[in-house]
Amino acid sequence: MIFKADNWDGNIHHPANKFLEMYSLETLVAGNWVSIVVGDTASPGGGTYHTVQSSDSDDVDGEMGICGICVTARTDAGLTRIQVAGFYSGANVAATVAAGELLVASTTAGQAQDSNLVADAVQLNFRIAGQAVTAAVANAADVIIFPHPAFSAA
């Protein structure tokens, strides 16, 4: 696959890298996929922020699906930089991910897996978060992050 400087490969538009500052109440590891926790907000310095946590397909506390990848690691609560669209090198993925596979949340916190591993009956409950550009090596791969609909105007 060839990526040109204008982010167009002739067939599919790959968005430019986009970043947001989001609030986390937990430890986040750079390279881990994160999700917005619906209804959970924090108000540091007078602002109100929806919080993010490491993505996990078996969470039942109101996640909106994967929204991006943590860029700045956190060991405590606070604002952190999240990449919400574009190319990311070294994203946390399952060891079985091959180049070209579409990615969804796995049962491992912060990790994405091949969408084909999700049973057809429940696949509509999973948001396709991105696509692997390279195969996984030591649970890391280069990926394209698909923009979350919540950030379509970001």
Side-chain angles (χ1 to χ4, degrees):
M1 189 178 293
I2 298 172
F3 297 100
K4 297 179 182 175
D6 64 359
N7 294 325
W8 189 263
D9 69 359
N11 297 310
I12 301 170
H13 177 63
H14 295 289
N17 292 348
K18 292 183 182 179
F19 300 87
L20 294 175
E21 295 291 323
M22 302 183 87
Y23 200 85
S24 173
L25 296 174
E26 64 179 33
T27 298
L28 291 179
V29 176
N32 276 9
W33 297 84
V34 297
S35 298
I36 295 173
V37 181
V38 177
D40 190 4
T41 59
S43 301
T48 299
Y49 301 87
H50 288 286
T51 63
V52 292
Q53 67 182 25
S54 293
S55 294
D56 190 332
S57 66
D58 60 1
D59 279 341
V60 291
D61 58 359
E63 288 184 13
M64 291 175 57
I66 293 176
C67 69
I69 296 176
C70 176
V71 175
T72 308
R74 292 232 39 114
T75 57
D76 56 2
L79 288 173
T80 190
R81 189 172 181 153
I82 306 297
Q83 184 171 342
V84 295
F87 178 83
Y88 186 90
S89 183
N92 183 1
V93 296
T96 57
V97 167
E101 292 180 334
L102 297 175
L103 304 171
V104 296
S106 77
T107 56
T108 302
Q111 190 174 86
Q113 68 179 2
D114 172 16
S115 64
N116 291 325
L117 297 177
V118 180
D120 290 341
V122 297
Q123 199 158 40
L124 291 178
N125 295 326
F126 287 78
R127 180 182 172 276
I128 301 295
Q131 186 170 19
V133 176
T134 61
V137 175
N139 291 97
D142 295 346
V143 300
I144 296 291
I145 304 165
F146 296 156
H148 192 287
F151 308 131
S152 61

